[in-house]
Structure formats: structure tokens, C-alpha cells
Amino acid sequence: MVTISHVVQEILNRQIFLQEAIEHNIVSFNRLAENIKPDIEAEIGKKVKHSAIVMALRRHAEKLEKTTKRPSFDYFRETILKTDVCYIIVEASPTALKKIQSLYFDIDFKKGGIFNVTQGNYEVGVITNQRYKEKLLDLLGGEKILNVVENLVVISLTYSKDFLFTPGVMYNILKFVAWENVNIISIILTFQELSLVISRDDTVRCYNILERLVKTSKNSSKNI
């Protein structure tokens, strides 16, 4: 038998940001109950009491408080910003990857060069500096270019090795970025860096968010 509590939990599981707001104690259970009441009644197939929904929400909030473990941000060391970046996507083919790889020898990494290649089942994406765009497009002559996205920046967080083995850290970073309505074009992850590829228009907001995480991390380390 489907219960009010079960349906409430399913609704909250589908709306992660709402669940986050409950964890931070910034949600009115009365108003939330009014909002989700039609969905609950449709699922159960009969009228339900407002007070019963409120009670189910409160119980779920108590459960979250007991089980949720918030990861600390004592992993990050610095924020690095690289501008004038482009993202070129080409249809995967036996020759496309070889042509892309030949650009590697032209990249000046000591002067901020970027060369990140992601191979999927049907396409290959290349994130590189704007100054290498025309060279890469020339190399890809004869290949099917699916998209060229310009006016991008890459914001990177350097971190300690513990980052890779701590559940929830990635989610919390992306959550803060999403709350600021910053669209992430791509994510680059290495053993020492997490890099977000975003539009140049979102640079200031995203950089400030990540800088706050780094400062929080440094303050946490000093208190240990």
C-alpha cells in the first residue's frame, strides 16, 4: 500500500534542491505541503489531510538530519583562471583522432596552453586555446565538425589527493555553481585538478564561488 510518507519521500528524491533547502532549514513545511498535496492525492488516489503531509515532511527532515554527512572543503589549494578558450566537437572517425593528436606538438603549455581531448562513442571534443582554433580546424579538413563553441573560460581548482576518495565533494561544488545559475559546458578532471569550462559571461560569478571554497578550505586547515 502506498503511504503519504512514501510519496513525500519520492517527491523530495526527485527534487534535489528542495531536499537541500530542507536540510538548511529554510523551507516552510506548511507551504510545501500545500504545493505537493495535488501530486500526493493523485498518486494515492484519494484526498489526504494537510496535517498528515506536514508530519511526513517533518519526519523526512529529521531523517535527513541524522543521516546526512556534509563533506568538508579542506582539500582545495588555489583557483586558476584561463580565458580565451574554445570547444570544438567533431564526429568520431578513424582519422579524426589522429588529426587532433597532431596539434599536441604545437601547444605551448608553459604559456598557458590547453589541450584536452574527450573521445565519446560518436564524437570527439577538443578544448583548447582560441589561438589554436584555426590550426585545429585546418587539421580537421575533411572531417564533420559538429559544433564550435567560443568565448569560453576554464576555471580550475587544485586539490589534495583526498578529494578523489571523498563522496559528495563533487556534488557540493556543482550544487553551489548551479545555484548561481552558471551553466557548465564541460568538466575536466585529473588527479590534481577539477576544471570547469563555462561561458565568459559567467566568469565572475563562478570564480567567486570557487574562491570562497578555497578560502573555506584554507581556514579549515588552519583550525586543525
Side-chain angles (χ1 to χ4, degrees):
M1 178 181 178
V2 179
T3 64
I4 295 175
S5 178
H6 176 74
V7 177
V8 165
Q9 184 170 337
E10 282 192 340
I11 291 174
L12 295 180
N13 287 341
R14 292 196 299 266
Q15 302 183 46
I16 300 298
F17 286 156
L18 183 56
Q19 194 160 247
E20 284 286 334
I22 290 175
E23 287 184 38
H24 287 84
N25 196 29
I26 57 175
V27 170
S28 166
F29 290 132
N30 281 312
R31 290 186 178 180
L32 179 56
E34 291 175 2
N35 183 268
I36 64 176
K37 186 178 180 181
D39 293 332
I40 294 174
E41 290 178 340
E43 182 71 23
I44 293 180
K46 64 179 181 180
K47 295 290 184 180
V48 298
K49 292 183 178 180
H50 175 83
S51 58
I53 301 174
V54 172
M55 181 61 69
L57 287 169
R58 292 189 185 280
R59 287 176 178 171
H60 187 74
E62 291 173 359
K63 183 179 178 181
L64 283 175
E65 187 175 348
K66 293 178 181 178
T67 59
T68 301
K69 295 182 179 180
R70 300 181 185 281
S72 62
F73 289 104
D74 57 343
Y75 310 97
F76 305 112
R77 301 295 174 257
E78 63 178 337
T79 312
I80 302 171
L81 174 65
K82 293 184 178 181
T83 59
D84 294 325
V85 176
C86 65
Y87 186 20
I88 299 174
I89 305 170
V90 59
E91 186 176 272
S93 74
T95 55
L97 193 58
K98 289 184 179 180
K99 293 177 180 179
I100 291 170
Q101 288 173 335
S102 64
L103 180 66
Y104 176 85
F105 301 100
D106 292 328
I107 305 293
D108 190 343
F109 294 101
K110 292 183 179 180
K111 293 185 178 180
I114 300 171
F115 186 60
N116 180 268
V117 180
T118 304
Q119 182 177 8
N121 292 320
Y122 307 105
E123 59 192 23
V124 181
V126 183
I127 297 170
T128 190
N129 309 82
Q130 187 74 25
R131 61 181 179 269
Y132 299 119
K133 185 192 78 169
E134 295 303 327
K135 173 69 173 179
L136 179 56
L137 291 177
D138 287 342
L139 290 171
L140 290 171
E143 304 294 336
K144 184 176 182 180
I145 306 297
L146 301 177
N147 207 340
V148 178
V149 186
E150 301 182 77
N151 297 317
L152 304 178
V153 301
V154 176
I155 301 181
S156 303
L157 279 175
T158 60
Y159 47 76
S160 70
K161 63 181 180 180
D162 296 330
F163 171 90
L164 292 177
F165 308 102
T166 304
V169 177
M170 177 77 76
Y171 164 72
N172 276 272
I173 295 170
L174 301 184
K175 172 189 66 179
F176 292 136
V177 173
W179 277 1
E180 291 293 331
N181 200 34
V182 174
N183 180 52
I184 299 174
I185 306 296
S186 185
I187 297 174
I188 304 170
L189 186 64
T190 69
F191 197 70
Q192 296 183 14
E193 289 183 22
L194 165 68
S195 299
L196 305 181
V197 183
I198 62 173
S199 169
R200 184 170 59 187
D201 295 337
D202 293 327
T203 303
V204 175
R205 280 181 296 150
C206 189
Y207 185 84
N208 288 339
I209 294 166
L210 300 185
E211 268 290 278
R212 288 200 297 270
L213 291 180
V214 171
K215 289 179 180 178
T216 301
S217 172
K218 290 179 178 178
N219 291 335
S220 299
S221 298
K222 289 179 182 178
N223 295 330
I224 295 177

PDB file of all heavy atoms in Angstrom, residues 142-172:
ATOM      1  N   GLY A 142      38.080  17.841 -44.013  1.00  0.00           N
ATOM      2  CA  GLY A 142      37.522  16.570 -44.470  1.00  0.00           C
ATOM      3  C   GLY A 142      36.708  15.858 -43.411  1.00  0.00           C
ATOM      4  O   GLY A 142      35.986  14.892 -43.719  1.00  0.00           O
ATOM      5  N   GLU A 143      36.823  16.309 -42.144  1.00  0.00           N
ATOM      6  CA  GLU A 143      36.031  15.719 -41.053  1.00  0.00           C
ATOM      7  C   GLU A 143      34.738  16.522 -40.866  1.00  0.00           C
ATOM      8  O   GLU A 143      34.639  17.681 -41.266  1.00  0.00           O
ATOM      9  CB  GLU A 143      36.820  15.720 -39.742  1.00  0.00           C
ATOM     10  CG  GLU A 143      38.157  15.012 -39.818  1.00  0.00           C
ATOM     11  CD  GLU A 143      38.032  13.519 -40.062  1.00  0.00           C
ATOM     12  OE1 GLU A 143      36.986  12.948 -39.733  1.00  0.00           O
ATOM     13  OE2 GLU A 143      38.986  12.928 -40.597  1.00  0.00           O
ATOM     14  N   LYS A 144      33.755  15.915 -40.221  1.00  0.00           N
ATOM     15  CA  LYS A 144      32.474  16.592 -39.990  1.00  0.00           C
ATOM     16  C   LYS A 144      32.513  17.322 -38.646  1.00  0.00           C
ATOM     17  O   LYS A 144      32.498  16.703 -37.591  1.00  0.00           O
ATOM     18  CB  LYS A 144      31.323  15.585 -40.010  1.00  0.00           C
ATOM     19  CG  LYS A 144      29.950  16.242 -39.869  1.00  0.00           C
ATOM     20  CD  LYS A 144      28.822  15.213 -39.981  1.00  0.00           C
ATOM     21  CE  LYS A 144      27.467  15.900 -39.876  1.00  0.00           C
ATOM     22  NZ  LYS A 144      26.349  14.908 -39.985  1.00  0.00           N
ATOM     23  N   ILE A 145      32.583  18.668 -38.707  1.00  0.00           N
ATOM     24  CA  ILE A 145      32.590  19.478 -37.498  1.00  0.00           C
ATOM     25  C   ILE A 145      31.154  19.634 -37.015  1.00  0.00           C
ATOM     26  O   ILE A 145      30.295  20.146 -37.737  1.00  0.00           O
ATOM     27  CB  ILE A 145      33.216  20.862 -37.752  1.00  0.00           C
ATOM     28  CG1 ILE A 145      34.602  20.727 -38.375  1.00  0.00           C
ATOM     29  CG2 ILE A 145      33.264  21.665 -36.457  1.00  0.00           C
ATOM     30  CD1 ILE A 145      35.602  20.022 -37.494  1.00  0.00           C
ATOM     31  N   LEU A 146      30.877  19.201 -35.806  1.00  0.00           N
ATOM     32  CA  LEU A 146      29.520  19.258 -35.263  1.00  0.00           C
ATOM     33  C   LEU A 146      29.214  20.580 -34.578  1.00  0.00           C
ATOM     34  O   LEU A 146      28.085  21.062 -34.628  1.00  0.00           O
ATOM     35  CB  LEU A 146      29.312  18.103 -34.277  1.00  0.00           C
ATOM     36  CG  LEU A 146      29.502  16.701 -34.845  1.00  0.00           C
ATOM     37  CD1 LEU A 146      29.335  15.655 -33.758  1.00  0.00           C
ATOM     38  CD2 LEU A 146      28.523  16.445 -35.984  1.00  0.00           C
ATOM     39  N   ASN A 147      30.226  21.157 -33.930  1.00  0.00           N
ATOM     40  CA  ASN A 147      29.984  22.421 -33.230  1.00  0.00           C
ATOM     41  C   ASN A 147      31.315  23.084 -32.884  1.00  0.00           C
ATOM     42  O   ASN A 147      32.310  22.395 -32.643  1.00  0.00           O
ATOM     43  CB  ASN A 147      29.187  22.186 -31.946  1.00  0.00           C
ATOM     44  CG  ASN A 147      28.367  23.395 -31.536  1.00  0.00           C
ATOM     45  OD1 ASN A 147      28.636  24.515 -31.969  1.00  0.00           O
ATOM     46  ND2 ASN A 147      27.363  23.185 -30.710  1.00  0.00           N
ATOM     47  N   VAL A 148      31.299  24.408 -32.856  1.00  0.00           N
ATOM     48  CA  VAL A 148      32.441  25.195 -32.392  1.00  0.00           C
ATOM     49  C   VAL A 148      31.902  26.216 -31.402  1.00  0.00           C
ATOM     50  O   VAL A 148      31.129  27.105 -31.786  1.00  0.00           O
ATOM     51  CB  VAL A 148      33.165  25.909 -33.555  1.00  0.00           C
ATOM     52  CG1 VAL A 148      34.317  26.760 -33.002  1.00  0.00           C
ATOM     53  CG2 VAL A 148      33.685  24.905 -34.574  1.00  0.00           C
ATOM     54  N   VAL A 149      32.285  26.080 -30.155  1.00  0.00           N
ATOM     55  CA  VAL A 149      31.806  26.985 -29.108  1.00  0.00           C
ATOM     56  C   VAL A 149      32.971  27.877 -28.682  1.00  0.00           C
ATOM     57  O   VAL A 149      34.019  27.378 -28.269  1.00  0.00           O
ATOM     58  CB  VAL A 149      31.268  26.200 -27.887  1.00  0.00           C
ATOM     59  CG1 VAL A 149      30.641  27.164 -26.877  1.00  0.00           C
ATOM     60  CG2 VAL A 149      30.254  25.151 -28.337  1.00  0.00           C
ATOM     61  N   GLU A 150      32.763  29.189 -28.778  1.00  0.00           N
ATOM     62  CA  GLU A 150      33.833  30.135 -28.441  1.00  0.00           C
ATOM     63  C   GLU A 150      33.451  30.970 -27.225  1.00  0.00           C
ATOM     64  O   GLU A 150      32.404  30.754 -26.607  1.00  0.00           O
ATOM     65  CB  GLU A 150      34.121  31.030 -29.647  1.00  0.00           C
ATOM     66  CG  GLU A 150      34.540  30.244 -30.890  1.00  0.00           C
ATOM     67  CD  GLU A 150      34.858  31.133 -32.058  1.00  0.00           C
ATOM     68  OE1 GLU A 150      35.947  31.727 -32.073  1.00  0.00           O
ATOM     69  OE2 GLU A 150      33.997  31.241 -32.961  1.00  0.00           O
ATOM     70  N   ASN A 151      34.323  31.908 -26.868  1.00  0.00           N
ATOM     71  CA  ASN A 151      34.101  32.795 -25.716  1.00  0.00           C
ATOM     72  C   ASN A 151      33.923  32.004 -24.429  1.00  0.00           C
ATOM     73  O   ASN A 151      33.016  32.267 -23.634  1.00  0.00           O
ATOM     74  CB  ASN A 151      32.889  33.699 -25.955  1.00  0.00           C
ATOM     75  CG  ASN A 151      33.095  34.635 -27.128  1.00  0.00           C
ATOM     76  OD1 ASN A 151      34.172  35.216 -27.292  1.00  0.00           O
ATOM     77  ND2 ASN A 151      32.083  34.766 -27.968  1.00  0.00           N
ATOM     78  N   LEU A 152      34.801  31.044 -24.212  1.00  0.00           N
ATOM     79  CA  LEU A 152      34.760  30.232 -23.010  1.00  0.00           C
ATOM     80  C   LEU A 152      35.957  30.530 -22.107  1.00  0.00           C
ATOM     81  O   LEU A 152      36.950  31.098 -22.556  1.00  0.00           O
ATOM     82  CB  LEU A 152      34.771  28.744 -23.370  1.00  0.00           C
ATOM     83  CG  LEU A 152      33.666  28.247 -24.304  1.00  0.00           C
ATOM     84  CD1 LEU A 152      33.865  26.766 -24.596  1.00  0.00           C
ATOM     85  CD2 LEU A 152      32.292  28.488 -23.685  1.00  0.00           C
ATOM     86  N   VAL A 153      35.836  30.149 -20.856  1.00  0.00           N
ATOM     87  CA  VAL A 153      36.955  30.212 -19.916  1.00  0.00           C
ATOM     88  C   VAL A 153      37.024  28.887 -19.165  1.00  0.00           C
ATOM     89  O   VAL A 153      36.032  28.149 -19.096  1.00  0.00           O
ATOM     90  CB  VAL A 153      36.819  31.374 -18.896  1.00  0.00           C
ATOM     91  CG1 VAL A 153      36.734  32.709 -19.608  1.00  0.00           C
ATOM     92  CG2 VAL A 153      35.598  31.165 -18.003  1.00  0.00           C
ATOM     93  N   VAL A 154      38.193  28.600 -18.620  1.00  0.00           N
ATOM     94  CA  VAL A 154      38.378  27.410 -17.794  1.00  0.00           C
ATOM     95  C   VAL A 154      38.798  27.866 -16.399  1.00  0.00           C
ATOM     96  O   VAL A 154      39.786  28.583 -16.245  1.00  0.00           O
ATOM     97  CB  VAL A 154      39.463  26.477 -18.375  1.00  0.00           C
ATOM     98  CG1 VAL A 154      39.699  25.293 -17.424  1.00  0.00           C
ATOM     99  CG2 VAL A 154      39.048  25.962 -19.747  1.00  0.00           C
ATOM    100  N   ILE A 155      38.006  27.478 -15.401  1.00  0.00           N
ATOM    101  CA  ILE A 155      38.338  27.785 -14.018  1.00  0.00           C
ATOM    102  C   ILE A 155      38.683  26.468 -13.326  1.00  0.00           C
ATOM    103  O   ILE A 155      37.876  25.532 -13.307  1.00  0.00           O
ATOM    104  CB  ILE A 155      37.175  28.471 -13.291  1.00  0.00           C
ATOM    105  CG1 ILE A 155      36.795  29.769 -14.001  1.00  0.00           C
ATOM    106  CG2 ILE A 155      37.541  28.771 -11.845  1.00  0.00           C
ATOM    107  CD1 ILE A 155      35.674  30.535 -13.343  1.00  0.00           C
ATOM    108  N   SER A 156      39.895  26.408 -12.779  1.00  0.00           N
ATOM    109  CA  SER A 156      40.385  25.161 -12.197  1.00  0.00           C
ATOM    110  C   SER A 156      40.597  25.282 -10.700  1.00  0.00           C
ATOM    111  O   SER A 156      41.045  26.317 -10.206  1.00  0.00           O
ATOM    112  CB  SER A 156      41.711  24.745 -12.860  1.00  0.00           C
ATOM    113  OG  SER A 156      41.555  24.608 -14.256  1.00  0.00           O
ATOM    114  N   LEU A 157      40.289  24.199  -9.992  1.00  0.00           N
ATOM    115  CA  LEU A 157      40.595  24.066  -8.573  1.00  0.00           C
ATOM    116  C   LEU A 157      41.677  23.003  -8.433  1.00  0.00           C
ATOM    117  O   LEU A 157      41.523  21.893  -8.952  1.00  0.00           O
ATOM    118  CB  LEU A 157      39.360  23.613  -7.786  1.00  0.00           C
ATOM    119  CG  LEU A 157      38.320  24.653  -7.387  1.00  0.00           C
ATOM    120  CD1 LEU A 157      37.139  23.956  -6.730  1.00  0.00           C
ATOM    121  CD2 LEU A 157      38.894  25.693  -6.449  1.00  0.00           C
ATOM    122  N   THR A 158      42.756  23.339  -7.777  1.00  0.00           N
ATOM    123  CA  THR A 158      43.740  22.303  -7.451  1.00  0.00           C
ATOM    124  C   THR A 158      43.403  21.767  -6.068  1.00  0.00           C
ATOM    125  O   THR A 158      42.921  22.500  -5.201  1.00  0.00           O
ATOM    126  CB  THR A 158      45.168  22.870  -7.450  1.00  0.00           C
ATOM    127  OG1 THR A 158      45.280  23.907  -6.470  1.00  0.00           O
ATOM    128  CG2 THR A 158      45.519  23.429  -8.818  1.00  0.00           C
ATOM    129  N   TYR A 159      43.657  20.481  -5.856  1.00  0.00           N
ATOM    130  CA  TYR A 159      43.232  19.857  -4.594  1.00  0.00           C
ATOM    131  C   TYR A 159      44.205  18.764  -4.174  1.00  0.00           C
ATOM    132  O   TYR A 159      45.074  18.337  -4.933  1.00  0.00           O
ATOM    133  CB  TYR A 159      41.831  19.270  -4.727  1.00  0.00           C
ATOM    134  CG  TYR A 159      41.611  18.443  -5.977  1.00  0.00           C
ATOM    135  CD1 TYR A 159      42.121  17.148  -6.089  1.00  0.00           C
ATOM    136  CD2 TYR A 159      40.898  18.956  -7.046  1.00  0.00           C
ATOM    137  CE1 TYR A 159      41.919  16.402  -7.223  1.00  0.00           C
ATOM    138  CE2 TYR A 159      40.696  18.213  -8.197  1.00  0.00           C
ATOM    139  CZ  TYR A 159      41.197  16.940  -8.277  1.00  0.00           C
ATOM    140  OH  TYR A 159      40.995  16.206  -9.406  1.00  0.00           O
ATOM    141  N   SER A 160      44.017  18.316  -2.951  1.00  0.00           N
ATOM    142  CA  SER A 160      44.824  17.216  -2.446  1.00  0.00           C
ATOM    143  C   SER A 160      44.246  15.899  -2.948  1.00  0.00           C
ATOM    144  O   SER A 160      43.110  15.835  -3.415  1.00  0.00           O
ATOM    145  CB  SER A 160      44.824  17.218  -0.910  1.00  0.00           C
ATOM    146  OG  SER A 160      43.549  16.859  -0.422  1.00  0.00           O
ATOM    147  N   LYS A 161      44.997  14.840  -2.811  1.00  0.00           N
ATOM    148  CA  LYS A 161      44.570  13.531  -3.327  1.00  0.00           C
ATOM    149  C   LYS A 161      43.332  13.008  -2.620  1.00  0.00           C
ATOM    150  O   LYS A 161      42.627  12.160  -3.156  1.00  0.00           O
ATOM    151  CB  LYS A 161      45.706  12.525  -3.192  1.00  0.00           C
ATOM    152  CG  LYS A 161      46.124  12.256  -1.740  1.00  0.00           C
ATOM    153  CD  LYS A 161      47.276  11.280  -1.660  1.00  0.00           C
ATOM    154  CE  LYS A 161      47.698  11.013  -0.215  1.00  0.00           C
ATOM    155  NZ  LYS A 161      48.824  10.058  -0.133  1.00  0.00           N
ATOM    156  N   ASP A 162      43.030  13.509  -1.408  1.00  0.00           N
ATOM    157  CA  ASP A 162      41.861  13.028  -0.667  1.00  0.00           C
ATOM    158  C   ASP A 162      40.560  13.314  -1.402  1.00  0.00           C
ATOM    159  O   ASP A 162      39.548  12.640  -1.192  1.00  0.00           O
ATOM    160  CB  ASP A 162      41.807  13.679   0.718  1.00  0.00           C
ATOM    161  CG  ASP A 162      42.998  13.285   1.575  1.00  0.00           C
ATOM    162  OD1 ASP A 162      43.508  12.175   1.381  1.00  0.00           O
ATOM    163  OD2 ASP A 162      43.409  14.090   2.427  1.00  0.00           O
ATOM    164  N   PHE A 163      40.567  14.340  -2.254  1.00  0.00           N
ATOM    165  CA  PHE A 163      39.364  14.738  -2.969  1.00  0.00           C
ATOM    166  C   PHE A 163      38.747  13.575  -3.741  1.00  0.00           C
ATOM    167  O   PHE A 163      37.541  13.366  -3.732  1.00  0.00           O
ATOM    168  CB  PHE A 163      39.711  15.882  -3.925  1.00  0.00           C
ATOM    169  CG  PHE A 163      38.607  16.251  -4.881  1.00  0.00           C
ATOM    170  CD1 PHE A 163      37.670  17.206  -4.552  1.00  0.00           C
ATOM    171  CD2 PHE A 163      38.509  15.635  -6.119  1.00  0.00           C
ATOM    172  CE1 PHE A 163      36.661  17.546  -5.427  1.00  0.00           C
ATOM    173  CE2 PHE A 163      37.503  15.960  -7.009  1.00  0.00           C
ATOM    174  CZ  PHE A 163      36.576  16.929  -6.661  1.00  0.00           C
ATOM    175  N   LEU A 164      39.579  12.813  -4.417  1.00  0.00           N
ATOM    176  CA  LEU A 164      39.086  11.747  -5.289  1.00  0.00           C
ATOM    177  C   LEU A 164      38.408  10.618  -4.523  1.00  0.00           C
ATOM    178  O   LEU A 164      37.642   9.852  -5.097  1.00  0.00           O
ATOM    179  CB  LEU A 164      40.243  11.169  -6.112  1.00  0.00           C
ATOM    180  CG  LEU A 164      40.851  12.084  -7.173  1.00  0.00           C
ATOM    181  CD1 LEU A 164      42.021  11.393  -7.852  1.00  0.00           C
ATOM    182  CD2 LEU A 164      39.816  12.494  -8.205  1.00  0.00           C
ATOM    183  N   PHE A 165      38.675  10.515  -3.244  1.00  0.00           N
ATOM    184  CA  PHE A 165      38.162   9.384  -2.472  1.00  0.00           C
ATOM    185  C   PHE A 165      37.139   9.812  -1.423  1.00  0.00           C
ATOM    186  O   PHE A 165      36.871   9.073  -0.474  1.00  0.00           O
ATOM    187  CB  PHE A 165      39.334   8.658  -1.801  1.00  0.00           C
ATOM    188  CG  PHE A 165      40.429   8.293  -2.760  1.00  0.00           C
ATOM    189  CD1 PHE A 165      41.601   9.035  -2.827  1.00  0.00           C
ATOM    190  CD2 PHE A 165      40.273   7.233  -3.641  1.00  0.00           C
ATOM    191  CE1 PHE A 165      42.609   8.717  -3.718  1.00  0.00           C
ATOM    192  CE2 PHE A 165      41.262   6.904  -4.539  1.00  0.00           C
ATOM    193  CZ  PHE A 165      42.439   7.651  -4.589  1.00  0.00           C
ATOM    194  N   THR A 166      36.566  11.012  -1.602  1.00  0.00           N
ATOM    195  CA  THR A 166      35.576  11.529  -0.652  1.00  0.00           C
ATOM    196  C   THR A 166      34.229  11.699  -1.341  1.00  0.00           C
ATOM    197  O   THR A 166      34.082  12.569  -2.204  1.00  0.00           O
ATOM    198  CB  THR A 166      36.030  12.876  -0.063  1.00  0.00           C
ATOM    199  OG1 THR A 166      37.327  12.709   0.532  1.00  0.00           O
ATOM    200  CG2 THR A 166      35.055  13.356   0.995  1.00  0.00           C
ATOM    201  N   PRO A 167      33.221  10.894  -1.005  1.00  0.00           N
ATOM    202  CA  PRO A 167      31.901  11.017  -1.636  1.00  0.00           C
ATOM    203  C   PRO A 167      31.265  12.371  -1.337  1.00  0.00           C
ATOM    204  O   PRO A 167      31.386  12.892  -0.223  1.00  0.00           O
ATOM    205  CB  PRO A 167      31.094   9.882  -0.984  1.00  0.00           C
ATOM    206  CG  PRO A 167      32.108   8.941  -0.426  1.00  0.00           C
ATOM    207  CD  PRO A 167      33.276   9.789  -0.029  1.00  0.00           C
ATOM    208  N   GLY A 168      30.587  12.932  -2.328  1.00  0.00           N
ATOM    209  CA  GLY A 168      29.796  14.140  -2.110  1.00  0.00           C
ATOM    210  C   GLY A 168      30.490  15.450  -2.389  1.00  0.00           C
ATOM    211  O   GLY A 168      29.832  16.488  -2.487  1.00  0.00           O
ATOM    212  N   VAL A 169      31.813  15.455  -2.511  1.00  0.00           N
ATOM    213  CA  VAL A 169      32.526  16.717  -2.716  1.00  0.00           C
ATOM    214  C   VAL A 169      32.178  17.310  -4.089  1.00  0.00           C
ATOM    215  O   VAL A 169      31.868  18.492  -4.210  1.00  0.00           O
ATOM    216  CB  VAL A 169      34.050  16.528  -2.586  1.00  0.00           C
ATOM    217  CG1 VAL A 169      34.765  17.838  -2.878  1.00  0.00           C
ATOM    218  CG2 VAL A 169      34.397  16.052  -1.191  1.00  0.00           C
ATOM    219  N   MET A 170      32.230  16.497  -5.126  1.00  0.00           N
ATOM    220  CA  MET A 170      31.906  16.964  -6.472  1.00  0.00           C
ATOM    221  C   MET A 170      30.475  17.513  -6.517  1.00  0.00           C
ATOM    222  O   MET A 170      30.217  18.584  -7.084  1.00  0.00           O
ATOM    223  CB  MET A 170      32.051  15.821  -7.472  1.00  0.00           C
ATOM    224  CG  MET A 170      31.664  16.182  -8.884  1.00  0.00           C
ATOM    225  SD  MET A 170      32.916  17.152  -9.719  1.00  0.00           S
ATOM    226  CE  MET A 170      34.097  15.874 -10.093  1.00  0.00           C
ATOM    227  N   TYR A 171      29.555  16.798  -5.899  1.00  0.00           N
ATOM    228  CA  TYR A 171      28.154  17.228  -5.888  1.00  0.00           C
ATOM    229  C   TYR A 171      28.017  18.601  -5.250  1.00  0.00           C
ATOM    230  O   TYR A 171      27.300  19.476  -5.754  1.00  0.00           O
ATOM    231  CB  TYR A 171      27.301  16.212  -5.140  1.00  0.00           C
ATOM    232  CG  TYR A 171      25.941  16.750  -4.758  1.00  0.00           C
ATOM    233  CD1 TYR A 171      24.955  16.957  -5.718  1.00  0.00           C
ATOM    234  CD2 TYR A 171      25.649  17.065  -3.430  1.00  0.00           C
ATOM    235  CE1 TYR A 171      23.724  17.462  -5.369  1.00  0.00           C
ATOM    236  CE2 TYR A 171      24.419  17.578  -3.074  1.00  0.00           C
ATOM    237  CZ  TYR A 171      23.453  17.773  -4.048  1.00  0.00           C
ATOM    238  OH  TYR A 171      22.241  18.290  -3.701  1.00  0.00           O
ATOM    239  N   ASN A 172      28.688  18.818  -4.124  1.00  0.00           N
ATOM    240  CA  ASN A 172      28.574  20.096  -3.429  1.00  0.00           C
ATOM    241  C   ASN A 172      29.150  21.243  -4.240  1.00  0.00           C
ATOM    242  O   ASN A 172      28.601  22.349  -4.250  1.00  0.00           O
ATOM    243  CB  ASN A 172      29.262  20.013  -2.061  1.00  0.00           C
ATOM    244  CG  ASN A 172      28.353  19.423  -1.006  1.00  0.00           C
ATOM    245  OD1 ASN A 172      27.605  20.138  -0.356  1.00  0.00           O
ATOM    246  ND2 ASN A 172      28.389  18.111  -0.855  1.00  0.00           N
TER     247      ASN A 172
END
